[in-house]
Amino acid sequence: PRQTQRMKAGELQRLIEQQQKAVYTDDPLSDDYYCLKMSEKHVQNQAALQRMAQQRSRPTDLLAEMGALLADDWSAAAAARRGPLSQDHISGLAGDQLPIKGQTVQAKIAKKRQAWHSEHKVLGRSVKSDLKKPRELIAQHGGSIGGTAQTFQSQLWMLRGILGKIAEKLIDIDDVHQVMEAKVAAARNFHAGSMAYTEAEKVVTGLQQKQVLLCDQLGQLVGFPSLVDEGTGAYDAEREVELVGGWDALFFLIWTPKGRALILRAIPCLLRPHQRAILKTFCTNCAYFVCRNPDGQDEDPVDDEEAKLDLLAATTFGEEFRQVRDMGFITECLGLTHGVFKQNPAVLSVFVHIPAGQEVIRTLLTHGKQLSGDSSVTEDAKRRWNSESDNFYSMMKVAVSNLEREATA
């Protein structure tokens, strides 16, 4: 006879199985969706690692591609390139290409990052807390009101405020763009000249003016002067502008990963004068955008998140740079990059190794070479481009030969 009113283990198990019959199907994907997806992701990651190993390019490969490109041998340039560069194929420096052992580099980087985070409380990083030492939500110096005011006036809070405004402005621009696309699609259903078509045209014109104002305000947040007349909504597309606060103000924004990602998202939304100015700034300070370190030696070559952000910077630069049709501007950008590499050989040594740096060099030369064949380009502009590209290639040959000599020494 039963000695207790509680159910036995077998009875509980049968009851649970009976209740769970409703959630079991003959489809393994539905029964164990997350396990299968994780297995697929693991297989994809392994395949991506194999592709990355195959796509690692040595400086001599990039140099061969440059030589074939400048010699008008497009087929040889395509053959010299080991494969298309995409955001899914991130590869870093091979272990034997590092100036010192990989573990030493990793330890050095970790130490520098830890010191930077503890000193400046970098945006996007949260301090770990426990029961004995909880994390303070708002820093207060001595509990005084004056100390709190100083906290909110610090550079960190200023950076958070600017980046927050940039993010809000990007959302506003995207919202206006979506509404404008919907209005344009709706206007196609109306007959030209009808009242509904005229009304839709007025709405689209107003949205275009609003979008120009938002893009101008975004440029001001990045650090450029205003271009648009608020009364008429017009601006000079050929005007030359510079950063109001100089390079230091923009560097303050892109130093953190979140800031760099937001600035890269903002570049396609800028007005043409602002965009051309930031492209020139990119060429002058390419190390801070692509590898963030002017000396190059302390950059983490195997950090996936950093590599993705570096590649995003190179891809964004390439997409916007290819929209430029001014041969003189392209020659100037190549000259600025040439000057950076000549003054900082360490930056060049990093650029010729990492995929993001190679993509920047490849974009500069490929787009300039394609545009130099355009019949609308003057002979003087072609001559200046050929001279600058030859000088750049000569500098690259010397630099790559030195790197190969150091690697074999």
Side-chain angles (χ1 to χ4, degrees), residues 70 338 385-396:
L70 297 178
H338 182 190
W385 160 257
N386 291 331
S387 175
E388 186 61 48
S389 60
D390 290 341
N391 293 335
F392 186 85
Y393 180 62
S394 300
M395 181 267 300
M396 287 288 294

Side-chain angles (χ1 to χ4, degrees), residues 29-49:
L29 181 62
S30 300
D31 291 341
D32 206 353
Y33 175 82
Y34 292 103
C35 180
L36 291 176
K37 286 299 180 182
M38 291 298 293
S39 299
E40 291 179 2
K41 185 177 180 181
H42 177 71
V43 173
Q44 293 174 359
N45 290 339
Q46 293 297 323
L49 289 175

Side-chain angles (χ1 to χ4, degrees), residues 4-284:
T4 177
Q5 296 181 354
R6 296 181 179 179
M7 298 179 67
K8 295 181 179 180
E11 294 174 337
L12 286 173
Q13 184 65 28
R14 287 193 296 271
L15 180 60
I16 293 173
E17 291 177 356
Q18 187 68 24
Q19 290 177 341
Q20 289 183 342
K21 281 185 178 180
V23 300
Y24 288 146
T25 67
D26 294 332
D27 183 10
L29 181 62
S30 300
D31 291 341
D32 206 353
Y33 175 82
Y34 292 103
C35 180
L36 291 176
K37 286 299 180 182
M38 291 298 293
S39 299
E40 291 179 2
K41 185 177 180 181
H42 177 71
V43 173
Q44 293 174 359
N45 290 339
Q46 293 297 323
L49 289 175
Q50 293 179 1
R51 289 194 298 268
M52 286 189 291
Q54 295 174 357
Q55 287 191 346
R56 282 199 177 99
S57 176
R58 294 184 63 82
T60 51
D61 299 327
L62 179 63
L63 188 64
E65 183 182 349
M66 291 172 54
L69 178 66
L70 297 178
D72 292 329
D73 191 353
W74 292 88
S75 58
R81 185 174 177 179
R82 293 199 172 188
L85 186 65
S86 65
Q87 295 189 18
D88 296 331
H89 302 157
I90 310 294
S91 61
L93 287 171
D96 57 351
Q97 295 171 352
L98 291 171
I100 53 179
K101 294 297 182 181
Q103 294 181 353
T104 308
V105 173
Q106 290 288 345
K108 187 177 181 181
I109 294 168
K111 184 177 180 181
K112 288 190 64 177
R113 286 182 176 175
Q114 184 177 5
W116 172 261
H117 295 330
S118 61
E119 180 181 357
H120 299 281
K121 308 296 182 184
V122 177
L123 181 68
R125 303 285 183 173
S126 298
V127 181
K128 292 184 178 180
S129 61
D130 52 31
L131 294 177
K132 296 181 179 180
K133 186 179 179 182
R135 177 173 58 89
E136 56 182 2
L137 299 180
I138 299 179
Q140 294 186 0
H141 301 282
S144 63
I145 298 178
T148 304
Q150 292 178 1
T151 300
F152 287 106
Q153 293 176 0
S154 64
Q155 287 189 342
L156 175 60
W157 281 101
M158 292 172 59
L159 176 61
R160 287 180 173 179
I162 296 174
L163 295 182
K165 292 178 181 178
I166 291 176
E168 292 175 0
K169 201 65 64 177
L170 288 171
I171 294 174
D172 293 341
I173 292 173
D174 184 63
D175 291 342
V176 171
H177 181 70
Q178 291 184 6
V179 173
M180 187 165 56
E181 284 186 337
K183 292 294 182 182
V184 171
R188 291 172 182 163
N189 299 324
F190 305 139
H191 294 288
S194 63
M195 183 177 297
Y197 184 86
T198 305
E199 189 66 25
E201 191 176 17
K202 291 181 180 178
V203 173
V204 171
T205 303
L207 289 173
Q208 288 177 340
Q209 294 177 353
K210 183 176 181 180
Q211 192 175 40
V212 169
L213 287 175
L214 289 173
C215 293
D216 182 60
Q217 294 170 5
L218 178 64
Q220 295 180 55
L221 290 174
V222 174
F224 294 106
S226 176
L227 297 172
V228 178
D229 184 356
E230 296 185 1
T232 61
Y235 70 96
D236 184 8
E238 302 300 328
R239 177 180 170 184
E240 296 289 337
V241 296
E242 294 181 356
L243 290 166
V244 175
W247 161 245
D248 292 339
L250 182 59
F251 174 73
F252 177 64
L253 297 179
I254 69 170
W255 178 247
T256 62
K258 180 178 179 180
R260 187 158 56 132
L262 281 174
I263 294 299
L264 293 175
R265 286 183 57 192
I267 290 177
C269 301
L270 296 175
L271 298 179
R272 182 180 176 183
H274 292 163
Q275 200 172 77
R276 288 167 63 95
I278 205 168
L279 288 178
K280 289 171 63 175
T281 305
F282 183 98
C283 294
T284 308

